[in-house]
Amino acid sequence: MTRQPGPRRTHAATESDGDRQPDAESTGAAGEHEVVRSRTAHRASLAVLVTTQLYVMLSGTVVNITLPVMGADLHLSPADLSRVVSAYILAVAALLLPAGRAADRFGRRRLLLIGLAVSAIASCLVAAAGDGVSLIAARVLQGAGIALVQSSLLALFLLRAPAGDRAKPLGLWSMATLTGGGAGILFSGLLTEVVGWRGVFFASAAFAALLAPLCAVTAPSDQGTRGTMSRRDLPTFVVLASGLTLLAVGTAEAGHMGVSRPGALVPIGAGLAGLLLLITLERRRANPLIPLRIIAGPRVGAAQLGVAVLGMTATGFFFFLSLYQQQVLGDSPGVAALWQIPLAVASGVGSVYAVRLGRRFGSGTALAFGQVSLAVGLVWMGRLKGENGFGDEALLPSLLVGAGLGVALVHMVNAATAGADRQDAGLASGLTSTVKKCGGVFGLTLLSSLAVSESQRADLTMSRVQALQEGYAAAFTTLGTLVAATALLIPLAPLLGRIMPRRSRPRTTGDDNAPSRT
C-alpha cells in the first residue's frame, strides 16, 4: 500500500515531462517578465531611497541661506539665529541613537514613514512661525523627524542592495549625500528670492509629503525583530538627551554672560554630571547601549575629538559664510547660493578622492593634507576685508575649505571608528555622527558669542558692516586655529598612550571581568 503512490507519482511525472515542454517555455517567458519587473521595482525602490537621502541632506542645509532674511523678518539677533541652527542639530544628535534602537525594534520602514510625517508637519510649523520661540520649537520637532528618517534610511537602503554587490548602490548613496547639501543651498537661495523664506519650508514639507507614499510602496518591509529595547535603555536615552541639552543651554549662556555666572555654571555642571552618570550606568551594564570599548585608547579618543572639531568647522563655516555673503558683501540669497555651489563641489570631490589619497600616501598623511588645506582656507577667510566681490577675494579660500573638509572628514571618521569590532561598527558610526553633531552645536554657540562680542567691540570706531566683518573674521580664524591644533592629535596619540599610567594593561589581562565592564 505504501509503495504504490511513490511509483505512480514518479511515472506520472516522467510522462508529463514531454507533455509539459511548451508550458515550460511559456513559464520561462513569464519568468523573464518577472525578472524585468523585479529589476524595475528594485531600481524604483533605490531611486526613492536615494531621493529620500537627498531630502535629509537638503533639510539640514536649506536654513543656511535663509538665515539673514529670516532674521530680518522675525527681528532675530545673531545669537537667536545660531539657536535656530543649534536646536535642529541638537535634536538630531540626541535622538539618533534612540531612534536607531527603536527602528530595530518596531521596523525601519515604519519609523521612516513616521519621521517623514513629523518632518513635513514641522516644516509647515517653521514656515508659519511668528517669533523666535515658535521657530526654534518647530526646528526641534523637525530635527526629531529627521533623526527618525536618518536612523532607518541607510538600513533600508542596504536591504535593497543585492547581496555581495553593494558598490554601485552605495555609490548612488554617496552621490546623494554629497549633492544633497549643494542642492539644498541652491534650492533655498533661488526659492527665497522668488517666494520668500517661508516658501522654502512649505516646499520642503511638500517634498516630504510626496516621498512618504512612495517610500510606503517601494521601501522593503522588515519585521523589526533584530533588536529589543531593554528597560535600562530608557534611562540611558533620557540622561543622554538631558545632558546634551543642558550643556548646550549652559554653553549658550556662557557665551552671552560669561562662564562664571550661575546661569551658565548650573546647566553646564548639570550637563556634565548627567554625562558622567551615563558613563557610570553604561559601565555597570553587561550589554551596554554605548559600549565604551569602542572609544577606548588614546588614538581613537583623539580622533573622536577631531571629529567634534570638524563638526564644529562644518556647521560654523557654512553658518558664518552665508551671513558674510549677504550682510557684508551685500549678495542676494540667490547669488550667495550660486557662489556656494563650487564649495559644495570641492567638498564632494575631496570626499571622493580621499580614499585614493589614503591608498597612495597613507591615511595619516591624507588626513594631515586635508587638515592643512582646511586650516589655511579658514585663516585666509579670516583675513578678508569684505571690500570686493566673493569671486575676487573669497572663492579660492572657500575651495580650500571645501576640499580640505571633504578629505579630512573621511579619514578622521575612519580613525574614530577604528577601535570598533565588526559587531560594533554600526554603533560606532552612530556614536561618531552624534559626536560630530554635538561639536557643531557647542562650537556654533561659542563662535556666535565670539563674533557678537568682536562686532560690538568694533562698533565704536567702524561702520556696522565693518563691525560684522570683524566678528565673522574672528570666527573663521578661530576655526582655522582649532583645526591646526587638532592636526597634531593623531600623531601625538601613541606618545600620550605611553605617558598614561600603565595600570590598565594588567587589568585587561588579569581581570576577567574587566572587558565586560568597559
Side-chain angles (χ1 to χ4, degrees):
M1 296 288 296
T2 57
R3 293 181 180 178
Q4 288 182 349
R8 285 179 183 174
R9 190 173 295 122
T10 305
H11 181 65
T14 55
E15 288 181 348
S16 63
D17 286 349
D19 297 335
R20 291 183 179 178
Q21 201 69 13
D23 293 336
E25 293 178 358
S26 62
T27 303
E32 291 180 1
H33 288 297
E34 288 295 328
V35 169
V36 172
R37 189 180 306 169
S38 176
R39 288 177 179 174
T40 303
H42 173 76
R43 291 172 181 172
S45 178
L46 280 179
V48 171
L49 292 176
V50 168
T51 306
T52 306
Q53 171 64 9
L54 190 97
Y55 167 75
V56 169
M57 300 304 298
L58 185 145
S59 298
T61 56
V62 291
V63 73
N64 289 334
I65 294 295
T66 61
L67 278 175
V69 181
M70 184 188 300
D73 187 22
L74 299 180
H75 307 289
L76 302 179
S77 66
D80 293 330
L81 292 178
S82 70
R83 292 191 185 101
V84 172
V85 177
S86 298
Y88 173 88
I89 300 175
L90 183 61
V92 176
L95 295 177
L96 207 54
L97 291 177
R101 183 59 64 93
D104 288 339
R105 172 72 186 275
F106 301 110
R108 300 179 184 90
R109 185 172 67 176
R110 183 180 290 111
L111 264 292
L112 173 65
L113 297 178
I114 293 174
L116 287 173
V118 171
S119 177
I121 294 172
S123 295
C124 292
L125 294 177
V126 171
D131 53 33
V133 175
S134 59
L135 176 63
I136 292 173
R139 287 286 288 172
V140 170
L141 184 62
Q142 188 180 21
I146 291 298
L148 293 177
V149 174
Q150 193 170 348
S151 63
S152 309
L153 191 55
L154 182 56
L156 286 173
F157 187 88
L158 293 178
L159 285 176
R160 269 294 179 224
D165 184 19
R166 295 182 174 182
K168 185 176 180 179
L170 287 178
L172 294 174
W173 175 271
S174 299
M175 180 192 67
T177 302
L178 295 173
T179 59
I185 293 170
L186 183 61
F187 167 79
S188 60
L190 298 179
L191 202 58
T192 298
E193 290 198 356
V194 177
V195 296
W197 70 269
R198 298 181 188 274
V200 172
F201 290 95
F202 279 128
S204 179
F207 193 3
L210 177 64
L211 284 172
L214 293 176
C215 288
V217 173
T218 62
S221 61
D222 57 324
Q223 300 300 320
T225 57
R226 286 183 52 191
T228 58
M229 296 187 69
S230 170
R231 292 181 179 179
R232 299 187 66 177
D233 286 344
L234 182 59
T236 301
F237 296 151
V238 173
V239 172
L240 175 63
S242 302
L244 293 178
T245 302
L246 288 170
L247 274 179
V249 172
T251 305
E253 294 302 321
H256 298 314
M257 305 184 303
V259 182
S260 60
R261 299 294 182 87
L265 284 176
V266 172
I268 288 177
L272 290 175
L275 295 182
L276 289 175
L277 175 62
L278 175 65
I279 293 174
T280 302
L281 292 174
E282 291 297 279
R283 286 179 64 90
R284 292 179 177 177
R285 295 181 60 177
N287 185 24
L289 178 66
I290 308 175
L292 299 180
R293 64 179 179 272
I294 64 178
I295 55 174
R299 183 179 177 86
V300 176
Q304 290 287 352
L305 181 59
V307 168
V309 172
L310 291 180
M312 179 193 309
T313 302
T315 303
F317 178 72
F318 283 101
F319 175 81
F320 289 109
L321 181 63
S322 177
L323 296 177
Y324 167 79
Q325 289 177 286
Q326 298 181 55
Q327 294 182 349
V328 176
L329 299 181
D331 292 339
S332 65
V335 173
L338 290 174
W339 278 120
Q340 287 195 25
I341 296 303
L343 167 62
V345 172
S347 179
V349 171
S351 299
V352 170
Y353 281 92
V355 177
R356 296 186 181 182
L357 289 174
R359 290 174 180 172
R360 183 169 183 178
F361 302 105
S363 180
T365 303
L367 173 60
F369 172 79
Q371 289 175 308
V372 170
S373 174
L374 179 57
V376 170
L378 288 168
V379 173
W380 190 350
M381 288 291 300
R383 298 180 64 85
L384 300 180
K385 301 300 181 182
E387 298 173 352
N388 300 313
F390 186 89
D392 294 331
E393 65 176 18
L395 180 60
L396 288 180
S398 70
L399 292 178
L400 283 176
V401 170
L405 184 61
V407 173
L409 193 56
V410 169
H411 289 285
M412 190 68 82
V413 169
N414 181 43
T417 56
D421 297 331
R422 185 180 298 272
Q423 61 188 12
D424 295 325
L427 180 60
S429 178
L431 183 60
T432 302
S433 298
T434 302
V435 169
K436 177 176 175 289
K437 293 181 183 300
C438 288
V441 172
F442 303 135
L444 180 59
T445 302
L446 292 175
L447 290 169
S448 298
S449 301
L450 172 65
V452 170
S453 63
E454 288 294 324
S455 297
Q456 290 175 347
R457 188 180 307 169
D459 260 340
L460 299 176
T461 57
M462 298 181 179
S463 66
R464 179 178 179 275
V465 173
Q466 291 174 324
L468 290 174
Q469 164 62 21
E470 289 294 318
Y472 301 151
F476 290 137
T477 303
T478 301
L479 285 174
T481 304
L482 287 174
V483 171
T486 55
L488 301 175
L489 282 176
I490 301 298
L492 292 179
L495 178 61
L496 294 176
R498 297 190 189 100
I499 297 175
M500 291 172 61
R502 298 181 180 180
R503 298 176 184 176
S504 58
R505 293 182 182 176
R507 198 174 165 187
T508 54
T509 56
D511 188 0
D512 294 337
N513 296 327
S516 63
R517 292 177 61 85
T518 56

